[in-house]
Each structure stands twice: as structure tokens, then as C-alpha cells.
Amino acid sequence: MYSEKVMDHFNNPRNVGEIENASGVGTVGNAKCGDIMRIYLDIDDAGVIKDCKFKTFGCGAAVATSSMATELVKGKNIQEALQVTNKAVMEALDGLPPVKVHCSLLAEEAIHAALWDYAEKNGIQIEGLKKPKQDIHEGEEEEAEEY
Ligand code: FES
């Protein structure tokens, strides 16, 4: 059901932890399953993501996608990090079962929330970045049957 890469990132998640005095911190949740993810970014003066850590209170797919997402954004600049969508993360993991696709959204939204926090702290605007959702289902209606 899960690819080898998913199992690897679930069993040995990369970049678990916190960054003290992080440049940006983003926390998002999935109200339907109750899972929560927090991402910390350390961004240098040139706008490059030097370090990224995460904490996830969530399912295995959420752990694996956060782990892969942190690996993907490290070393990237902000615009490149915005391209790390849940689709990109899933591709890097060789796919997720359809019922677990929503879990990968947590990682994408948490990165966006952390970038938003960074932009607010520095009084800048990041092109293409929308105000993050607190819950990944915000704005979505009548989709309860999915679960
Ligand atoms: Fe909640 Fe996967 S079941 S994030």
C-alpha cells in the first residue's frame, strides 16, 4: 500500500525537531482527523532556507510527507520553496494511496504558513503566497463523504 520511500521517511523521519529563534514558524491542522503539523524555517539574509525542521502529531503519511517536504525546501530560496507543493512531495515519495492524499496537504500548508510568518516578521510580501489556512479544510464545503 505504501511505497518504500514513504516507509523509509516514516521509519526514519528527517529533520524532526524545533529551530530556536526560527525565521518563520507555521502550524496547521486537519480538523477532520485532528492531526497537526508545525514547520520551522531558518532563512538567511539572501532569502535562502538554511534549515528546516518539523513536528507532526499525525498519521504516518503526514510524518513521511513532512519529512520529505523539509528535505525538499532545504537550500532553496523562497520562490523555489513555494513550488514544493503536496504534488511535488508525493511524487518525490513515489505516490501515496488516494485516501492519504489530504495528509500531504498539511506539509504544503505548514510551509506556506511558516513563510507567511517570516514575511510578517520582516515586513515583506512574498509574491504568490496567500494567507495560510489554519485548517487545511478551511473554505471547503460538503466534502464529508470523502472520509
Ligand atoms: Fe490526518 Fe493523515 S489522517 S493527516
Side-chain angles (χ1 to χ4, degrees), residues 30 33-35 58-62 100 102-103 106:
N30 180 334
C33 63
D35 292 349
C59 72
K100 287 286 173 185
H102 71 279
C103 313
L106 273 177

Side-chain angles (χ1 to χ4, degrees), residues 9 16-17 22-23 36 41 57 62 78 101 106 109 114 127:
H9 278 264
V16 175
S23 317
I36 297 168
L41 296 176
F57 183 82
I78 292 167
V101 170
L106 273 177
E109 292 295 339
E127 208 187 314

